[in-house]
Amino acid sequence: MPKHPVLVVALAAAVVIAAAPTLLSQPMPPAPQAAPAPAAPAVPAVPYPMTMGDMMNTLVQPRHAKLGLAGQAQNWPLAGYAVAEIRQVFAGIAKALPKYRGYPVSELADAALSQPLNALQDAIRLQDPQKFAVAYGQLTQGCNACHAALFHSFVVIKAPDAAAFPDQKFAPGQ
Ligand code: HEC
């Protein structure tokens, strides 16, 4: 071991400098690759089940309003179509959600709506605005009777006093 510390440093420097060209002319080993991030576990898409409130809000309420608007405009074909849509929607709701908090939806809907829907069909067939208004009032009472029976008496339905569908014509004719 050389005794002089300065000499030791000089020798070490000389080795590094001598080695530098060799080191630089060598292809550099590839930089260690960062391990690929583990793929995030796939989150499966979960279908969104419609609640009773969702179905009421999206399927039932607009049809009830459209039926009222069509009847007020004496647009009998459109009113007849809305009645059929309401029947169909409730049939679908009863299948999608047979029980609401343990209560049978199909039976409750029948009890609340069957008679008024039949009366509406008669009024539409007769093209009778008075009969239509009475039957529409009964239908609306049916909606509210079921709401009261199923703990939602605060959801109060009424005949529409304004059209919420600016892109649909309710007056009869093309
Ligand atoms: C079978 C019983 C039943 C009948 C019949 C019924 N409803 Fe409902 N409705 C419910 C229940 C139960 C709720 C509350 C659902 C919840 O939020 O859990 C509800 C809620 C609603 C809501 C509130 C939804 C919201 O998000 O604001 C509207 C609007 C509504 N109903 C409209 C109607 C109309 C219009 C009719 C009549 C054509 C009708 N419903 C008939 C049971 C019924």
Side-chain angles (χ1 to χ4, degrees):
M1 193 140 167
K3 287 187 188 134
H4 204 295
V6 175
L7 187 58
V8 173
V9 172
L11 272 173
V15 167
V16 169
I17 289 164
T22 335
L23 280 173
L24 290 175
S25 65
Q26 303 270 318
M28 298 295 280
Q33 295 284 311
V43 180
V46 176
Y48 175 80
M50 294 266 272
T51 65
M52 183 67 121
D54 294 333
M55 293 189 280
M56 287 287 155
N57 198 45
T58 57
L59 304 175
V60 176
Q61 185 177 15
R63 264 59 176 263
H64 174 270
K66 288 184 177 193
L67 174 61
L69 294 167
Q72 286 167 20
Q74 302 189 27
N75 185 341
W76 307 119
L78 186 60
Y81 171 68
V83 166
E85 290 288 301
I86 290 174
R87 286 191 193 280
Q88 196 179 314
V89 157
F90 274 96
I93 289 175
K95 279 191 199 138
L97 205 79
K99 294 263 168 87
Y100 178 86
R101 299 196 195 171
Y103 292 88
V105 171
S106 177
E107 279 87 334
L108 284 167
D110 274 355
L113 308 180
S114 283
Q115 187 275 327
L117 286 172
N118 290 340
L120 278 160
Q121 256 178 311
D122 288 345
I124 290 165
R125 189 168 32 81
L126 299 169
Q127 309 205 343
D128 185 327
Q130 277 77 39
K131 278 196 164 60
F132 180 92
V134 171
Y136 189 76
Q138 291 168 348
L139 176 73
T140 305
Q141 278 173 21
C143 305
N144 292 328
C146 200
H147 294 165
L150 294 179
F151 326 106
H152 285 76
S153 51
F154 51 88
V155 179
V156 181
I157 304 302
K158 64 181 184 66
D161 47 24
F165 309 99
D167 58 350
Q168 187 172 357
K169 184 167 171 283
F170 289 91
Q174 303 304 304

